[in-house]
Amino acid sequence: MTRDFPENFIWGSATASYQVEGAAHEDGKGPSVWNEFEKRPSAIIDNCTGDVSCDQYHQYKKDVAIMRDIGFDVYRFSLAWSRIFPEGTGAMNPKGIDYYKRLCDELLANGIEPYITFYHWDLPQALQDKCGGWQSRDCAKYFADYVEKTTVALEGRCKNFFTVNEFLGCTDQGYFNGVCAPGIKLTKKGRNQVRHNMLLAHGMGLQVLRDVMPQARVGIAENPVFMTPVLDTPEHVDAAKRAFREINGHFITAIMEGGYPDSYLEAEGGDAPEVKDGDFKLISAPMDFLGLNIYYGRLVRFAPELEKKYEIFFDDAATEWTDCNGMFQPAAIYWGSRIVNELWSPKEIIISENGTSNMDRPAADGEVYDVFRIKYLRSYLESMSRAIRDGVPITGYLHWSFLDNLEWRSGYRRRFGLTFVNYRTQERIPKLSAKFFKELIRTGRIA
Ligand code: NOJ
């Protein structure tokens, strides 16, 4: 039977430290901005915390055994910076780094390659206190130092790294509208500087990785605003490409092109960030892969009557809204990856996140029949397979998420996992979708 995906395609899933680890104050871990933010009344739905969560800190062997059974090639997880450096800088916490060594060893012993994300939003609170966190350029230096020392300490156990996950979730949500940690509301000027400082952190982190581990493969995991043209015709596709490049001027375009596009600088005017000589040399240094977190996109049409010659719009009938993490829009994965490829030809694209959530519960027989997730997977994977057939260099797919977990300020209600978590007993139940995923990996086909 013909395969939908090549033999060497990389399959796996992703999580993040604050969302799954628990053990928030154990073995010398320092607090992160999320451990502080969650104390604010109603900052997180139900006032829940990350203190225990899925307890992966203690349950990792059980989790790795499930991953092995599903057949993952890769597990993408993030490091809690303040577990390794409780103060964000200075002395390393031996017990903290030891946990990540044990996790990597367990993965490797089970034939699963660790893919590490250095920054998935849980900044050490000590750095927020010391320098205002990402408001300061110094934070990028502290980040590079953490990346360097951690990479050396891991002694080659991990070879694939994402510097930063989703810039916006930290910069704008953390420092501008304040709905995420550290919950600060800066001016536009302040926000733009935070954005720039995080880009710089990526660039400096990438450089130190090149220095201390030349064989490392490095990229980012970014969620630009994706665009889906209304028709696959040259004028609409071109409109979608221009819209994509401009809307994402402050992150992915800046990284891929080595500078902010004019449209961004003009729109921000006097609020544009301060950029120092050499910043963009670091920020735009070549990456080994580009990770795209793709969930949904916006519709775009060629609009000759408008100054920009494109219009971005919503159409309720064309995009099915679900409460499962926004829109059900499988075409986003095709158009998202194709447009990025046509604009900048990255060496490799990894779908570093894609997935959906619901209120999954075990049925009377104990199984979790998450058929909606299988529908989601089938549709999105068809779309990804089309992109690959059209020559987009997608080499891997990491499902969000391996486990049900703490969905930031949305708490524990919605469940994103291929594996169900009973938060009271820490029992794991691989859902029906985990069985679907296992077959997918075994056969290379969308069953
Ligand atoms: C984006 C984030 O990287 C991840 O932490 C989050 O849980 C998922 N998408 C789902 O919203």
Side-chain angles (χ1 to χ4, degrees):
M1 273 211 255
T2 53
R3 300 173 62 95
D4 295 310
F5 300 100
E7 289 277 356
N8 58 356
F9 196 78
I10 294 163
W11 296 104
S13 77
T15 63
S17 44
Y18 177 68
Q19 297 180 271
V20 302
E21 279 181 4
H25 308 284
E26 219 172 299
D27 289 341
K29 178 180 170 297
S32 77
V33 288
W34 273 91
N35 299 132
E36 238 355 84
F37 183 69
E38 68 191 12
K39 292 181 191 159
R40 296 190 189 178
S42 303
I44 297 186
I45 288 182
D46 304 328
N47 289 316
C48 40
T49 72
D51 285 0
V52 180
S53 184
C54 317
D55 195 32
Q56 189 162 80
Y57 188 74
H58 297 109
Q59 313 284 335
Y60 69 95
K61 289 195 177 171
K62 187 154 103 180
D63 288 343
V64 172
I66 298 171
M67 294 178 208
R68 182 198 173 125
D69 182 61
I70 299 175
F72 287 172
D73 301 302
V74 160
Y75 177 46
R76 172 184 166 226
F77 59 96
S78 79
L79 307 181
W81 182 347
S82 64
R83 194 180 289 291
I84 303 173
F85 292 97
E87 297 295 319
T89 175
M92 187 182 271
N93 171 24
K95 287 190 175 164
I97 190 71
D98 189 55
Y99 165 64
Y100 294 114
K101 286 186 185 173
R102 284 183 282 121
L103 174 58
C104 288
D105 287 342
E106 189 69 14
L107 288 164
L108 292 167
N110 285 281
I112 302 166
E113 205 55 53
Y115 276 42
I116 282 177
T117 310
F118 278 106
Y119 190 72
H120 203 127
W121 310 346
D122 48 351
L123 183 76
Q125 180 63 36
L127 290 182
Q128 189 58 43
D129 298 339
K130 186 183 171 90
C131 63
W134 295 108
Q135 293 168 81
S136 163
R137 271 179 79 92
D138 288 349
C139 204
K141 284 195 209 133
Y142 295 131
F143 177 75
D145 196 46
Y146 144 65
V147 169
E148 177 177 348
K149 293 190 174 130
T150 302
T151 306
V152 171
L154 287 172
E155 297 165 325
R157 287 172 171 85
C158 178
K159 300 184 183 63
N160 292 274
F161 301 95
F162 296 90
T163 52
V164 173
N165 176 76
E166 295 194 1
F167 290 86
L168 195 91
C170 168
T171 58
D172 290 42
Q173 301 198 345
Y175 291 84
F176 188 54
N177 56 31
V179 297
C180 288
I184 291 173
K185 292 184 181 172
L186 297 176
T187 58
K188 275 176 88 184
K189 174 116 188 130
R191 174 202 65 185
N192 294 344
Q193 198 60 50
V194 165
R195 289 174 169 180
H196 185 74
N197 294 342
M198 281 221 66
L199 287 181
L200 188 61
H202 155 70
M204 292 175 77
L206 175 57
Q207 188 188 40
V208 298
L209 276 162
R210 296 288 185 234
D211 290 348
V212 297
M213 195 175 173
Q215 73 279 26
R217 284 169 28 91
V218 189
I220 50 171
E222 175 54 343
N223 66 328
V225 179
F226 293 103
M227 302 292 167
T228 296
V230 287
L231 285 181
D232 190 350
T233 56
E235 71 274 21
H236 292 301
V237 174
D238 185 58
K241 279 159 78 171
R242 283 183 295 110
F244 180 86
R245 188 180 163 273
E246 288 188 2
I247 291 287
N248 297 299
H250 43 296
F251 296 131
I252 200 168
T253 306
I255 292 176
M256 301 309 283
E257 299 187 1
Y260 294 116
D262 292 344
S263 52
Y264 178 61
L265 294 175
E266 279 159 22
E268 299 305 317
D271 292 329
E274 189 193 334
V275 177
K276 296 212 168 146
D277 280 355
D279 284 2
F280 271 110
K281 188 158 183 265
L282 293 170
I283 294 168
S284 64
M287 294 182 278
D288 301 288
F289 55 79
L290 182 57
L292 297 177
N293 295 357
I294 305 187
Y295 292 86
Y296 55 86
R298 310 269 167 86
L299 294 170
V300 181
R301 70 172 179 94
F302 173 51
E305 75 283 9
L306 300 178
E307 199 192 331
K308 284 183 178 293
K309 307 274 183 264
Y310 61 77
E311 188 194 18
I312 301 172
F313 67 105
F314 282 106
D315 182 329
D316 285 351
T319 43
E320 193 181 321
W321 274 96
T322 68
D323 20 323
C324 307
N325 197 33
M327 283 188 263
F328 177 74
Q329 202 205 57
I333 215 164
Y334 173 79
W335 284 108
S337 60
R338 177 173 148 183
I339 287 176
V340 165
N341 190 45
E342 288 185 9
L343 283 171
W344 301 304
S345 311
K347 280 187 216 158
E348 265 181 50
I349 292 175
I350 294 176
I351 305 302
S352 35
E353 279 186 33
N354 167 250
T356 185
S357 69
N358 207 344
M359 306 292 201
D360 305 325
R361 290 284 178 277
D365 63 358
E367 298 282 328
V368 181
Y369 295 103
D370 57 339
V371 283
F372 78 96
R373 183 169 285 105
I374 294 175
K375 168 187 159 181
Y376 182 99
L377 274 163
R378 283 193 182 118
S379 310
Y380 276 75
L381 293 173
E382 288 288 358
S383 178
M384 182 170 84
S385 150
R386 180 179 167 212
I388 296 171
R389 281 198 307 277
D390 281 4
V392 181
I394 302 176
T395 55
Y397 171 94
L398 309 180
H399 189 74
W400 188 272
S401 180
F402 167 57
L403 292 173
D404 296 338
N405 60 52
L406 174 50
E407 178 58 15
W408 306 104
R409 65 201 172 96
S410 305
Y412 291 100
R413 292 186 195 177
R414 308 214 61 89
R415 293 171 175 270
F416 269 95
L418 295 169
T419 306
F420 178 86
V421 176
N422 179 328
Y423 294 113
R424 209 169 28 81
T425 61
Q426 294 300 341
E427 184 195 3
R428 274 55 169 153
I429 306 174
K431 302 178 190 174
L432 196 64
S433 58
K435 293 168 188 143
F436 170 90
F437 213 73
K438 182 173 177 170
E439 275 308 289
L440 170 75
I441 296 173
R442 195 178 64 78
T443 61
R445 286 173 57 81
I446 305 165

